[in-house]
Amino acid sequence: MSIALSRRRLIGTLGAGLLVSGCDSWSRSGRVQALLGSAEDLTMGTQRLITGEATLGREFGPAEMSPVFRMNGNRTADTPEYRRMLANGFADFRLVVDGLVRRPLAIPLDRLRELPSRSQITRHDCVEGWSAIGQWRGTSLALLLDAAGVLDQARYIVFHCADSFGSTPYYESVDMVDARHPQTILAWEMNGRPLPEGHGAPLRARIERQLGYKHAKFVMRVEAVASLDRIYGGRGGYWEDVGVYAWYAGI
Amino acid sequence: MDDDPLITADGPITAPRAGDVVKRHRLSTRLWHWINVVAVVILLMSGLSIFNAHPRLYWGEYGANADAPWLQIGGEGDRGFLQIGDARIATTGALGRWTDENGRTSTRAFPSWATIPGYYSLALGRLWHFFFAWVLVIGGLAYWLTSFLNRHVQRDLAPSRAELAPRHLWHEIKQHARLRFPGGAAALRYNILQKLSYLLVLFVLLPLIVLTGLTMSPNMDAAWPWLLDMFGGRQSARSIHFIAAWLLVGFVIVHVVMVALAGPVNELRSMITGRFRLPGEREEAPAQ
């Protein structure tokens, strides 16, 4: 019995050691990452199958809001251009809507605030595991896409942002299902006040059925594209390009 | 009927005796078992990787750094700690602050030997976790379906009224505590403690861990908002997911200890080749 037990322990130790070192070298292999990443398609396909296109994420009451809404990602966009816009209250900021559209737009922030808006108290889920509940008000992205006349061949909406990590600009993208979702807004108000710098002023995308890194901050430009291949690293977002984060962040 | 564990592959139906080699586990059972071994180990270790990204647990819908966690693993200076409620346990070297096999010291919750990958990468941890979550879920659903259809659940796992009688339960607990296991043909049937623990894992713990995992998905919360009501919010679900994972580890430890005590070679062989040698009746231990 003791021989069997010690043999078991030996096998167990060897097995665990092999597993760990195996998983590490496999983790670095592009082929293994692609294989493991194939589950993302299965996850997205399954989730889309059981979720109505317009099904809303849960909305909460004011009493359920987080006392402190944690800031994450870049707290500012550290460029002279952004500092100047911030200093004059984004008076000369123009949100650009272009790409595969009939009528490219350049909309001042004041004009955006005058358009019909939507307010929602939702839970923000970070990929790290924490959550915070806050209130957001902003302009429906679908409204802007319709105003610009998105062409049929457009399949994705890309958010170009003013912030960057080092010299790599932040960006994100969603497909048309999430772009046209009723809760997808470009928020200019948070918790009843103008969107603060740390949370992405002047505009932050709210993609309520996906994780926080999809909610691009400091949005300057919205571009309709047919493919993500030629946008920056080609994987559809900053974290998708530099890490191996999933483009579909519904889980 | 070659899948009936009580009947040998050939020959007339006679009650098997101690020493006989009989068919024990079907191929599908054996495959499922070993796939689960791989999946559960990878899910646990990649899960610890994901936990390391935010090593704090909360109850309710929200929870982030400004909110009070009920459990936290952290490092302060050169000390590591595990805090549960107000109780703080020093864990330097094991949790929160530890040195890896290359001599590098890190301030992270779970040490590199316990995580997949062994270096910090939330994105890769998630890749491993979600791939093997599908393996566990697809295998588990297939097992559920076939085990009801071939009546494995009803015949081998469902406890009888007599087995659930307090006297019988107490007797079995005493027999287990004395490490007296059934021999002969009785060793082919699950005893009541086995039945209850397998049922608990199959129909409580595994569904719980899958559903709490899904509750952490913002899209699933939109599709199935009852998940949030069932578990009391996303952060509660994350806490229950963590607890359920350790309960599963507890089951695996007891399971492996029981296999070791019941005769590891014979038990392992039965789960690899399907063949099991019936153990002899145990001699009564001398009275205490």
Side-chain angles (χ1 to χ4, degrees):
Chain A
M1 174 92 91
S2 69
I3 291 169
L5 268 179
S6 64
R7 187 196 294 158
R8 164 187 302 273
R9 197 174 304 134
L10 181 68
I11 292 169
T13 312
L14 279 176
L18 281 176
L19 184 68
V20 169
S21 56
C23 284
D24 274 8
S25 52
W26 291 345
S27 286
R28 290 192 176 89
S29 144
R31 229 178 258 173
V32 173
Q33 288 177 8
L35 173 67
L36 295 173
S38 63
E40 182 192 340
D41 298 332
L42 182 58
T43 301
M44 180 175 172
T46 310
Q47 292 206 348
R48 281 288 168 82
L49 196 67
I50 61 176
T51 314
E53 289 200 355
T55 301
L56 299 184
R58 174 163 287 193
E59 297 191 12
F60 298 86
E64 297 168 286
M65 285 166 55
S66 294
V68 177
F69 197 109
R70 177 180 159 175
M71 275 180 201
N72 206 45
N74 284 318
R75 268 79 163 164
T76 187
D78 203 12
T79 63
E81 168 76 1
Y82 181 80
R83 303 240 71 83
R84 198 181 48 72
M85 285 195 294
L86 182 69
N88 74 359
F90 299 99
D92 50 3
F93 163 79
R94 301 282 184 278
L95 172 72
V96 172
V97 182
D98 65 358
L100 297 171
V101 299
R102 276 178 212 95
R103 297 171 295 276
L105 309 173
I107 317 167
L109 193 55
D110 282 349
R111 180 76 189 104
L112 274 180
R113 288 205 183 99
E114 289 161 8
L115 292 172
S117 65
R118 188 180 202 282
S119 174
Q120 58 210 33
I121 299 177
T122 51
R123 197 189 62 221
H124 182 86
D125 297 328
C126 182
V127 65
E128 292 173 349
W130 54 269
S131 308
I133 298 178
Q135 177 262 341
W136 307 90
R137 180 184 289 278
T139 312
S140 155
L141 182 60
L143 186 83
L144 298 175
L145 298 179
D146 287 341
V150 173
L151 299 172
D152 287 343
Q153 61 263 44
R155 291 186 54 216
Y156 303 97
I157 296 299
V158 180
F159 303 103
H160 297 273
C161 306
D163 61 321
S164 56
F165 288 89
S167 59
T168 313
Y170 199 86
Y171 80 103
E172 257 304 337
S173 62
V174 293
D175 67 6
M176 287 302 173
V177 172
D178 277 315
R180 294 191 169 279
H181 186 260
Q183 284 171 322
T184 298
I185 56 175
L186 291 177
W188 32 260
E189 178 189 289
M190 179 193 180
N191 292 352
R193 297 162 68 172
L195 184 66
E197 178 187 3
H199 288 287
L203 294 171
R204 174 174 209 175
R206 297 297 311 166
I207 316 292
E208 300 294 359
R209 299 183 300 183
Q210 295 206 41
L211 296 175
Y213 62 90
K214 301 300 282 187
H215 304 223
K217 296 156 80 171
F218 313 102
V219 175
M220 298 285 122
R221 177 181 164 214
V222 171
E223 183 189 11
V225 298
S227 157
L228 298 169
D229 293 346
R230 287 164 187 277
I231 312 288
Y232 300 100
R235 288 175 46 94
Y238 171 80
W239 289 113
E240 291 88 327
D241 286 342
V242 303
V244 282
Y245 283 92
W247 175 78
Y248 177 69
I251 186 161
Chain B
M1 279 304 287
D2 72 347
D3 57 352
D4 190 319
L6 276 175
I7 296 169
T8 46
D10 40 54
I13 301 168
T14 52
R17 289 179 311 235
D20 285 355
V21 173
V22 297
K23 289 188 96 177
R24 178 78 190 269
H25 298 297
R26 285 173 210 118
L27 179 63
S28 57
T29 309
R30 287 177 269 144
L31 270 176
W32 188 63
H33 175 270
W34 293 112
I35 288 171
N36 277 348
V37 170
V38 174
V40 165
V41 168
I42 291 179
L43 280 165
L44 175 73
M45 295 176 73
S46 58
L48 298 183
S49 239
I50 296 171
F51 177 87
N52 273 1
H54 189 74
R56 302 157 60 93
L57 295 173
Y58 316 86
W59 296 114
E61 270 292 353
Y62 64 79
N65 299 57
D67 307 302
W70 68 268
L71 181 146
Q72 182 184 4
I73 299 174
E76 248 174 20
D78 57 0
R79 288 165 185 279
F81 66 86
L82 161 68
Q83 180 148 352
I84 301 176
D86 292 330
R88 184 174 280 216
I89 304 153
T91 54
T92 311
L95 299 172
R97 177 93 180 166
W98 39 266
T99 305
D100 69 14
E101 68 272 18
N102 301 317
R104 280 189 299 262
T105 301
S106 295
T107 306
R108 287 210 180 274
F110 287 101
S112 57
W113 63 261
T115 62
I116 292 177
Y119 52 97
Y120 178 71
S121 169
L122 171 60
L124 284 173
R126 282 165 54 82
L127 273 183
W128 285 101
H129 203 72
F130 295 142
F131 185 92
F132 282 93
W134 275 112
V135 172
L136 188 80
V137 164
I138 292 170
L141 289 176
Y143 174 90
W144 268 17
L145 195 69
T146 52
S147 298
F148 275 109
L149 289 180
N150 69 20
R151 302 191 55 78
H152 176 50
V153 172
Q154 299 91 317
R155 189 186 54 207
D156 302 326
L157 289 174
S160 69
R161 191 177 288 255
E163 282 178 314
L164 285 174
R167 270 188 62 181
H168 180 76
L169 277 173
W170 181 236
H171 173 75
E172 287 288 321
I173 291 169
K174 281 193 296 191
Q175 291 293 98
H176 269 73
R178 291 172 187 156
L179 304 181
R180 283 188 208 144
F181 302 119
L188 283 175
R189 277 180 282 112
Y190 294 135
N191 65 68
I192 184 62
L193 298 182
Q194 267 177 307
K195 285 183 180 181
L196 290 178
S197 41
Y198 291 156
L199 288 172
L200 191 73
V201 168
L202 284 170
F203 298 107
V204 179
L205 217 44
L206 288 176
L208 187 68
I209 211 160
V210 170
L211 290 176
T212 51
L214 290 177
T215 311
M216 285 186 264
S217 150
N219 185 82
M220 289 309 300
D221 290 344
W224 295 350
W226 50 267
L227 284 170
L228 290 170
D229 302 321
M230 191 169 178
F231 298 115
R234 185 191 193 230
Q235 292 303 319
S236 292
R238 187 167 177 260
S239 292
I240 298 168
H241 195 71
F242 184 84
I243 294 167
W246 289 109
L247 290 176
L248 209 54
V249 170
F251 165 77
V252 170
I253 290 172
V254 172
H255 174 67
V256 169
V257 166
M258 286 297 159
V259 166
L261 292 174
V265 174
N266 193 26
E267 294 282 341
L268 269 175
R269 182 181 58 184
S270 76
M271 197 42 90
I272 294 169
T273 68
R275 296 186 178 277
F276 182 68
R277 184 181 296 279
L278 290 185
E281 305 286 347
R282 270 185 177 258
E283 288 173 31
E284 285 296 307
Q288 301 296 310

